[in-house]
């Protein structure tokens, strides 16, 4: 089956610093990748949709200048949390969408803790 | 706007029992319906995907059904095992301008007791 990796799996950073999270589709090309965040005991909330070679589309309420998304190739998308604050601490999960039937495959997630 | 609801929020059953998890969605113009499993602190594992033209999908002890007209999907787990304990998420995928993005329910936390 299709495999999606994320790196790092967990990261601790200080308030005010930036953190980059990578999402890779290992055995298929993904023209579209999605970034979600998940708070404890909550479901996944879509943050943005990333299409290869174009600007990301952000969901309402998500600050595009704070959560920078780059989808430079068909196998790699990155999410950079800029000037991180403790309230940005969360579980970030990416997914990559295959071609028809457009099934999404999810990465293992990245646990971000901002101190 | 698609909204997905899952019932029950939590379910505890003895090992060996058959069980049904329920999912309802508001927009019947659904493209796909996916069921996922999430273990604590982990990402999502896709269990079954049902395309809008299909009525059910089966994988091992799992069977998922889709009824677009009533806006419902069910996930049937046969002969449950302690290893089935996890959160099960249902997600509806809409087409076209939505970029085929998924809308998730809040999940059902399943505990299978030995």
């Amino acid at each position: 089956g299709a495999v999606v990796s994320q790196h790092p799996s967990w990261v601790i950073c200080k308030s005010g610093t930036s953190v980059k999270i990578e999402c890779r589709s290992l055995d298929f090309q993904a023209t579209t990748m999605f970034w979600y965040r998940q708070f404890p005991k909550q479901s996944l909330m879509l943050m943005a949709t990333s299409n290869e070679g174009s600007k990301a589309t952000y969901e309402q309420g998500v600050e595009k200048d704070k959560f920078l998304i780059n989808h430079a190739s068909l196998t790699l998308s990155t999410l950079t949390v800029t000037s991180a604050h403790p309230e940005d601490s969360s579980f970030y999960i990416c997914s990559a969408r295959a071609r028809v039937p457009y099934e999404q495959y999810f990465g293992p997630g990245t646990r971000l803790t901002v101190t | 706007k698609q909204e997905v609801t899952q019932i029950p929020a939590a379910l505890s059953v003895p090992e060996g029992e058959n069980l049904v998890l329920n999912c309802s969605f508001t927009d019947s113009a659904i493209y796909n319906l996916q069921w996922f499993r999430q273990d604590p602190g982990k990402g999502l594992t896709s269990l079954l995907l049902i395309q809008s033209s299909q009525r059910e999908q089966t994988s091992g002890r799992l069977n998922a059904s889709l009824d677009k007209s009533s806006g419902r999907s069910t996930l049937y787990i046969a002969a449950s095992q302690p290893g089935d304990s996890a959160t099960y998420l249902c997600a509806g995928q809409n087409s076209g301008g939505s970029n085929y993005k998924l809308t998730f329910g809040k999940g059902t936390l399943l505990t299978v007791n030995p």
Side-chain angles (χ1 to χ4, degrees):
Chain A
V3 179
V4 176
S5 70
Q6 274 185 249
H7 178 80
S9 56
W10 60 271
V11 58
I12 301 173
C13 71
K14 292 186 176 181
S15 186
T17 61
S18 296
V19 173
K20 180 184 285 188
I21 303 170
E22 292 187 349
C23 176
R24 293 181 184 272
S25 57
L26 299 185
D27 51 2
F28 68 102
Q29 293 184 331
T31 55
T32 303
M33 291 184 172
F34 302 87
W35 287 95
Y36 299 82
R37 65 188 298 180
Q38 185 179 35
F39 291 107
K41 300 189 184 301
Q42 299 290 319
S43 191
L44 278 73
M45 295 298 295
L46 180 65
M47 299 175 65
T49 302
S50 165
N51 288 300
E52 187 265 337
S54 63
K55 291 184 178 180
T57 302
Y58 292 80
E59 295 298 301
Q60 192 171 9
V62 177
E63 299 175 59
K64 63 180 181 181
D65 294 331
K66 181 171 186 58
F67 299 99
L68 301 179
I69 293 173
N70 183 278
H71 192 161
S73 75
L74 289 172
T75 59
L76 173 65
S77 177
T78 60
L79 168 67
T80 301
V81 182
T82 63
S83 187
H85 291 284
E87 56 265 32
D88 298 324
S89 299
S90 187
F91 192 53
Y92 292 86
I93 306 177
C94 73
S95 72
R97 194 187 77 199
R99 297 188 186 280
V100 178
Y102 300 115
E103 186 167 358
Q104 285 191 32
Y105 299 94
F106 285 77
T110 297
R111 173 76 57 192
L112 170 64
T113 301
V114 184
T115 60
Chain B
K1 179 184 175 185
Q2 181 73 268
E3 293 182 4
V4 178
T5 304
Q6 290 187 248
I7 295 174
L11 180 64
S12 181
V13 301
E15 181 177 2
E17 191 162 299
N18 302 325
L19 58 100
V20 174
L21 306 181
N22 296 292
C23 171
S24 62
F25 47 92
T26 55
D27 186 353
S28 62
I30 201 164
Y31 187 78
N32 288 332
L33 192 291
Q34 273 186 271
W35 282 92
F36 297 89
R37 167 187 174 137
Q38 186 176 30
D39 293 285
K42 304 293 185 181
L44 274 63
T45 300
S46 179
L47 298 174
L48 290 166
L49 178 147
I50 311 175
Q51 298 181 54
S52 61
S53 59
Q54 300 172 327
R55 296 191 66 86
E56 66 177 330
Q57 283 288 325
T58 298
S59 175
R61 295 182 291 109
L62 306 179
N63 176 277
S65 67
L66 174 64
D67 184 343
K68 289 178 57 179
S69 61
S70 66
R72 293 182 181 179
S73 176
T74 61
L75 178 66
Y76 175 83
I77 301 177
S80 59
Q81 302 170 359
D84 295 332
S85 297
T87 296
Y88 289 80
L89 295 163
C90 162
Q93 186 177 45
N94 287 76
S95 61
S98 73
N99 218 344
Y100 298 94
K101 61 185 180 184
L102 291 171
T103 301
F104 283 87
K106 292 186 177 181
T108 294
L109 176 60
L110 173 65
T111 303
V112 181
N113 301 301

